[in-house]
DNA sequence: GGTATGTGTCACCGGTCGGTTACTTTGTCA
DNA sequence: TGACAAAGTAACCGACCGGTGACACATACC
C-alpha cells in the first residue's frame, strides 16, 4: 500500500561536473586496463560507479563520452616533443638531421603512450569519435612538423617526401601497436629495449641514405 | 501424450564431410564480408545454414573451426610469388635488386589478399588458431626468402638486415591493414592505385640507398 | 528383427549487450 | 510552503551471445 522505498543506494553528492569527470576517467582506466574492446556502456558505468543512464543523459551515449575523453587527453607527441624541446637547436640542424630527430622522437612518443597504441589498434577496426579526434590531432601535428622540418631549407625536388613520411610513420605505428600483443616481429624481440635502439639506428640510416643520395 | 513430432526441418543429406566443408567455407565468407569481429558461432552457423551444435561436435568449438579454416587457405605469398616465379632470373639479380623485387611482390601479395589483411588486423587484438597459423607460415616463408635473397652473395657486415626487414614489413602490413578502413594516411590517398606505385618506388629507393651506400 | 552409431534439429540455459522507462531524492527559487 | 527542475537509482526490455541437453531419424551392422 505504502509508497515503495528503494532508497538503498548511498546517494552521491549530486554534482554533475564531478559525475562527468568520473565517467571520463573511467573510460581511460578501462581503456588502459582492458583495452578498447571493453569500452562499453555497462562496463564503463560500472567502472565509474555511476548509473549508466547518466552516460546517455550527459553525453548522449557512449560515443559522446568517448568524444569527451578524446578532448581530454594527451595522446600524441606535440611539436615540442618532436623537436626535442629546443626549437632553435632543431632549426640549426640540416634537413636530414631534422628528420632523423623528429622520427626518433615520434617513435619514442608513441611508445611512451600505451593509450595511444590502444587507440591506434582501435582505428584498425572502426571509426569513432576517439579515433577521429586522435587523427585530427595527428594530422595537425604532422603538418606542422613537416613544415618545420623543411622550413628555410630546400627539399630535393625529385624526392617523394610524402611517401617517405608514410613509410616511416607506418612502420612506427605498426611496430608500436604490435608490441602490445606480440613479443616478436620478423624475428626481432619487441620486448627487448635493444631492439628499439636497433630500429632507431636503422630508421636514421634510412633517412640519411635516402636524403643523402640526393643531388 | 503421443510422442512429439517436430520433424519440420528438411533434413540435409547426412554427409559429415560436406557439412564440415560448408562450415569452413562459411568462415571465409563471413570473414570476407563482415570482418573478423563477426566470426562467431551463431553467425557462422547461420551463414552456413548448419546447426551450430555441429560446430561443437565436429570442431570442438569455434576455435577448432577457425583452425580448420586456417589450414585450408592461401593467406600468404609463397616463395614463387615473392621471387616473381622465375627462380633463376631472381638469383641472377644482385642482392639489392633481389630485395627490391621481393619487397615489391610482398606488398602486392598482401594487397591482393583481403582476407590476409583482415587476419592481420585480427592479430592486433588477440591470438587464435588462425592468426597463429598465418604467423607460422609467414615466419617460414620469411626465413626462406631471406635465405634466398642472400644466397650466394655477401651481405654487408655492418648492416642490420633484420631491422631493415622489420621496417619494410611493418610498413607494408600497416598500410595494407589501414587501407581496409581508411582512405588516407599521412595525406596519401590509399584508395588511389597511383599512391601504391609511389610507395613501391619509395621502398625501392630506400633499399637501394641503404644497401648501395655500403662499402 | 533389433540395436548401436552417427547425423542433424530444436529448444533451452544463464549471461551480457545497448538502451529506455518510471521512479525517488535533492536543491533552488518564488 | 510548495512547485519544479536536476541528479540519481532501479528495473526492465528485446536481442544476441556461447554453450548444452534431449530428441528424431537414417543407416549399418549383428
Amino acid at each position: 500500500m505504502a509508497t515503495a522505498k528503494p532508497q538503498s543506494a548511498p546517494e552521491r553528492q549530486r554534482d554533475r561536473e564531478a559525475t562527468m569527470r568520473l565517467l571520463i576517467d573511467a573510460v581511460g582506466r578501462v581503456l588502459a586496463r582492458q583495452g578498447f574492446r571493453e569500452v562499453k556502456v555497462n562496463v564503463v558505468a560500472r567502472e565509474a560507479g555511476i548509473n549508466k543512464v547518466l552516460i546517455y543523459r550527459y553525453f548522449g551515449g557512449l560515443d559522446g563520452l568517448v568524444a569527451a575523453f578524446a578532448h581530454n587527453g594527451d595522446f600524441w607527441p606535440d611539436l615540442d616533443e618532436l623537436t626535442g624541446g629546443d626549437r632553435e637547436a632543431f632549426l640549426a640542424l640540416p634537413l636530414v638531421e631534422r628528420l632523423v630527430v623528429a622520427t626518433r622522437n615520434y617513435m619514442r612518443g608513441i611508445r611512451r603512450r600505451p593509450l595511444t597504441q590502444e587507440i591506434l589498434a582501435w582505428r584498425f577496426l572502426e571509426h569513432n569519435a576517439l579515433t577521429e579526434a586522435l587523427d585530427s590531432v595527428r594530422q595537425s601535428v604532422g603538418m606542422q612538423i613537416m613544415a618545420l622540418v623543411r622550413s628555410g631549407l630546400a627539399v630535393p625536388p625529385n624526392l617523394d617526401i610524402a611517401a617517405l613520411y608514410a613509410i616511416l610513420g607506418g612502420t612506427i605505428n605498426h611496430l608500436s601497436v604490435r608490441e602490445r600483443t606480440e613479443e616478436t616481429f620478423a624475428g626481432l624481440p619487441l620486448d627487448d629495449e635493444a631492439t628499439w635502439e636497433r630500429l632507431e639506428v636503422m630508421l636514421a640510416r634510412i633517412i640519411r641514405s635516402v636524403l643523402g643520395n640526393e643531388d
Side-chain angles (χ1 to χ4, degrees), chain A residues 132-200:
Chain A
E132 302 265 330
L134 188 72
D135 265 359
S136 80
V137 173
R138 183 191 52 73
Q139 197 154 8
S140 159
V141 174
M143 302 294 265
Q144 293 176 55
I145 190 67
M146 275 176 78
L148 200 60
V149 163
R150 68 207 300 175
S151 87
L153 297 178
V155 175
N158 52 352
L159 180 70
D160 190 347
I161 191 85
L164 180 60
Y165 266 77
I167 288 171
L168 295 176
T171 287
I172 293 171
N173 286 358
H174 180 268
L175 293 174
S176 302
V177 170
R178 182 156 178 129
E179 183 188 9
R180 292 179 322 130
T181 57
E182 310 255 350
E183 57 232 11
T184 66
F185 178 68
L188 293 180
L190 295 180
D191 50 359
D192 183 354
E193 209 51 37
T195 296
W196 293 93
E197 289 167 17
R198 286 170 63 186
L199 290 170
E200 276 190 9

Side-chain angles (χ1 to χ4, degrees), chain A residues 18-215:
Chain A
T19 298
M20 292 174 78
R21 195 62 268 147
L22 285 175
L23 285 168
I24 291 173
D25 291 346
V27 172
R29 284 201 305 279
V30 171
L31 192 56
R33 187 191 333 124
Q34 297 163 264
F36 59 90
R37 271 180 309 177
E38 287 304 309
V39 178
K40 307 166 186 173
V41 181
N42 293 315
V43 174
V44 171
R46 195 181 316 128
E47 169 71 27
I50 301 289
N51 196 291
K52 66 173 173 177
V53 171
L54 301 184
I55 292 179
Y56 294 99
R57 201 175 286 168
Y58 294 158
F59 298 98
L62 187 62
D63 283 354
L65 174 55
V66 166
F69 173 73
H71 289 97
N72 203 266
D74 161 42
F75 300 123
W76 216 270
D78 63 9
L79 221 48
D80 276 339
E81 191 171 342
L82 289 178
T83 57
D86 188 341
R87 196 72 58 95
E88 282 188 31
F90 181 80
L91 287 175
L93 298 171
L95 178 68
V96 181
E97 295 309 313
R98 288 182 190 173
L99 194 49
V100 168
V101 167
T103 302
R104 166 167 47 76
N105 288 338
Y106 176 72
M107 183 160 90
R108 292 180 182 176
I110 300 297
R111 293 196 58 232
R112 190 180 298 136
R113 291 172 172 82
L115 250 46
T116 299
Q117 296 166 31
E118 196 65 33
I119 299 169
L120 280 173
W122 200 345
R123 181 175 47 187
F124 284 132
L125 295 177
E126 60 188 1
H127 294 188
N128 59 40
L130 182 49
T131 62
E132 302 265 330
L134 188 72
D135 265 359
S136 80
V137 173
R138 183 191 52 73
Q139 197 154 8
S140 159
V141 174
M143 302 294 265
Q144 293 176 55
I145 190 67
M146 275 176 78
L148 200 60
V149 163
R150 68 207 300 175
S151 87
L153 297 178
V155 175
N158 52 352
L159 180 70
D160 190 347
I161 191 85
L164 180 60
Y165 266 77
I167 288 171
L168 295 176
T171 287
I172 293 171
N173 286 358
H174 180 268
L175 293 174
S176 302
V177 170
R178 182 156 178 129
E179 183 188 9
R180 292 179 322 130
T181 57
E182 310 255 350
E183 57 232 11
T184 66
F185 178 68
L188 293 180
L190 295 180
D191 50 359
D192 183 354
E193 209 51 37
T195 296
W196 293 93
E197 289 167 17
R198 286 170 63 186
L199 290 170
E200 276 190 9
V201 168
M202 181 53 76
L203 285 172
R205 181 168 183 164
I206 285 174
I207 294 167
R208 294 199 180 101
S209 299
V210 171
L211 271 76
N213 274 357
E214 278 306 313
D215 45 316

